[in-house]
Amino acid sequence: MMAHILSTGDEVLLGDIIDTNSAFLCTALKELGIKVQKITAVGDELDTLASNIVDISLQTDLCFVTGGLGPTRDDLTAVACSKASGQALELNVTALASMQSYFEKRGFKFTKDNEKQAMLPLTSNMLVNHNGTAPGFYMKINQCMFFFMPGVPSEMKLMFEQEIKQVLVTEFDLNEDILIERLTVFGLPESKVGSLLNGFDMNFFGMRLGFKADFPVIEVKIILSVNFQNRYKADSDMAAAKQWVVAQLENKVVSDQGLTLAQEVGRLLTQQKKTLAIAESCTGGLISNMVTDVAGSSDYFLFSAVTYSNEAKMNVLNVQKKTILEHGAVHEKTALEMAQGARLKVGADFAISTTGIAGPGGGTDDKPVGMVCIGLAGPSFSTAKTYRFSFEDRFKNKQMFAMSALESLRRHLVSLAKAV
């Protein structure tokens, strides 16, 4: 089946917001065996919106419309749908009751302006908004089934998962699934990943690879369309394909489950019942932010210190003054003592540290921009290593520094797991 996504709102066209809704829908529909053939963005102009709906209704099977269901005067999607379909708007009592219940549970006052959101085309079917006030709806116009959803991503995603997905499976008797395995790769450019995986098509007929670069990691997707009756064989084929890809990329695959590096580190720490402390200088708290973005990180993350100045390194982490005077802030000896100090500060099992030069200024011939020293300390060892990156961009250097520190810890945790 073919689908069209229609993203509405002046804020999309003006670049005030990034259209993450379309990216989510493309992925979710792909996994149902539905191919998105086009994405269109239109502003808050009634005639333009209505004419786009008419055009789409004659060209494709499904259309997913996001935005324009709110209570303000620029929320025109339902009106545009009414104009395009020739159906009058009427007060949908089910939608109204759903909205009133939502307001009541949260102690909000329901006003006449909000009632506008319950005005839906006559033959439409209401979709419950489990995470907001604006109900969605779906209806057929000409040859196309339209699904109208809120523009707020959290509301749209939940509506799709809890309401629309079941409608799609039931109404269109979907009998094909798309299996996708995701692997996270760090330490290789996209071109190198692609060249290492040459020959995949010859080894795994009917499958294809997809690549998504999200600096500094690459996501490799193994994709297979499969009929439900052949699911067992498909699972076996996918397992073999994943094993082949991991072998080709060797130790650069940080997760064969599609986890981020921080999520994989968290998984390993949880599995091994270990704790972590972090000492940062040049990364400015970026590693700690990555770690605490993972749900459940409080189970293993104990402490973070952003010791930017030499005084902070000495006073908070007990880095020796002699070390700073003899070697400077950016040195393996300093990184080592930072990691040791952070670990001892709270009694963590492991600690990682970073001290480097993110740029664009501050570099020297001996210590150029892009140089970072990463420390790693554990119960019976401590080590530090120097890395050099060549990015001109300060944030890219910080990302590489942070990811490299997490990767050093991940590799150690993997080696511990293998030793058991």
Side-chain angles (χ1 to χ4, degrees):
M1 298 193 69
M2 308 301 287
H4 194 126
I5 296 173
L6 182 60
S7 178
T8 75
D10 289 340
E11 63 274 14
V12 175
L13 295 181
L14 293 171
D16 293 336
I17 64 169
I18 298 172
D19 179 21
T20 59
N21 288 338
S22 293
F24 168 83
L25 287 170
C26 285
T27 300
L29 293 169
K30 176 174 59 182
E31 293 174 359
L32 290 172
I34 299 170
K35 182 178 180 181
V36 175
Q37 60 183 161
K38 193 173 184 180
I39 300 172
T40 302
V42 296
D44 299 313
E45 204 283 314
L46 180 60
D47 290 338
T48 302
L49 183 52
S51 66
N52 270 272
I53 291 173
V54 171
D55 290 343
I56 293 169
S57 73
L58 300 169
Q59 297 170 2
T60 194
D61 306 306
L62 296 166
C63 182
F64 299 86
V65 186
T66 60
L69 299 181
T72 59
R73 65 181 65 188
D74 62 345
D75 290 309
L76 301 170
T77 296
V79 179
C81 179
S82 171
K83 185 173 182 177
S85 64
Q87 293 190 22
L89 296 177
E90 68 168 13
L91 185 65
N92 186 300
V93 293
T94 306
L96 183 65
S98 174
M99 291 174 60
Q100 289 173 330
S101 174
Y102 180 90
F103 274 72
E104 187 176 317
K105 285 179 181 178
R106 288 155 180 79
F108 300 154
K109 183 179 180 181
F110 188 85
T111 67
K112 193 71 175 176
D113 289 337
N114 295 114
E115 192 173 290
K116 167 184 178 289
Q117 296 171 283
M119 299 294 294
L120 305 181
L122 185 61
T123 64
S124 65
N125 300 277
M126 193 270 288
L127 296 165
V128 178
N129 187 340
H130 298 275
N131 204 26
T133 62
F137 61 96
Y138 68 98
M139 63 183 294
K140 192 165 188 178
I141 304 174
N142 295 321
Q143 71 180 45
C144 182
M145 182 70 79
F146 283 80
F147 292 86
F148 295 89
M149 299 169 284
V152 178
S154 60
E155 298 180 25
M156 184 278 300
K157 291 176 183 178
L158 198 59
M159 183 177 289
F160 183 90
E161 292 293 337
Q162 296 194 5
E163 300 282 319
I164 295 173
K165 187 180 286 188
Q166 186 56 50
V167 174
L168 290 171
V169 172
T170 302
E171 292 285 333
F172 297 96
D173 191 28
L174 300 177
N175 61 2
E176 186 177 65
D177 198 4
I178 293 184
L179 300 184
I180 302 177
E181 288 283 357
R182 292 179 167 85
L183 298 92
T184 309
V185 180
F186 173 67
L188 291 173
E190 187 175 11
S191 58
K192 182 65 173 178
V193 172
S195 66
L196 288 173
L197 297 180
N198 282 337
F200 178 87
D201 297 341
M202 292 183 290
N203 285 282
F204 302 98
F205 179 75
M207 297 187 191
R208 68 183 189 276
L209 291 175
F211 303 92
K212 184 177 78 172
D214 184 13
F215 184 88
V217 300
I218 307 294
E219 182 186 71
V220 178
K221 295 187 288 288
I222 308 171
I223 306 165
L224 172 63
S225 298
V226 57
N227 188 284
F228 287 140
Q229 284 81 4
N230 298 323
R231 184 60 184 261
Y232 179 79
K233 182 179 183 305
D235 287 341
S236 176
D237 291 345
M238 286 292 280
K242 183 163 77 168
Q243 186 177 26
W244 185 88
V245 170
V246 171
Q248 294 299 111
L249 298 178
E250 299 175 341
N251 62 355
K252 301 301 183 182
V253 175
V254 299
S255 171
D256 63 0
Q257 301 174 41
L259 301 179
T260 66
L261 184 47
Q263 287 172 330
E264 179 63 12
V265 166
R267 185 188 71 81
L268 291 166
L269 287 168
T270 301
Q271 184 184 72
Q272 298 177 25
K273 296 181 172 57
K274 302 298 184 183
T275 55
L276 174 65
I278 300 173
E280 303 185 59
S281 182
C282 55
T283 46
L286 184 57
I287 307 173
S288 304
N289 183 63
M290 290 176 175
V291 169
T292 55
D293 272 348
V294 178
S297 56
S298 58
D299 292 340
Y300 49 83
F301 181 51
L302 301 186
F303 170 81
S304 171
V306 180
T307 52
Y308 220 65
S309 69
N310 291 338
E311 289 75 14
K313 291 177 178 65
M314 292 184 288
N315 295 335
V316 177
L317 302 174
N318 292 323
V319 173
Q320 297 300 302
K321 185 175 183 180
K322 180 182 177 182
T323 301
I324 298 291
L325 292 174
E326 291 184 359
H327 304 290
V330 182
H331 193 274
E332 289 179 4
K333 179 67 172 172
T334 304
L336 191 69
E337 292 184 13
M338 288 173 66
Q340 291 170 333
R343 179 176 173 270
L344 292 173
K345 191 83 174 178
V346 290
D349 294 300
F350 297 104
I352 52 178
S353 66
T354 56
T355 179
I357 305 166
T364 65
D365 290 341
D366 291 337
K367 299 179 179 182
V369 169
M371 173 179 166
V372 63
C373 299
I374 294 173
L376 173 63
S380 58
F381 78 98
S382 56
T383 184
K385 185 176 179 180
T386 300
Y387 299 81
R388 287 179 171 84
F389 303 101
S390 57
F391 300 104
E392 299 293 330
D393 182 273
R394 179 179 179 84
F395 187 59
K396 281 188 175 181
N397 278 327
K398 289 176 67 176
Q399 286 178 297
M400 286 298 297
F401 297 170
M403 293 287 281
S404 297
L406 286 172
E407 175 63 355
S408 68
L409 175 58
R410 185 196 70 84
R411 293 196 178 197
H412 182 75
L413 293 171
V414 169
S415 69
L416 289 179
K418 289 179 178 177
V420 174

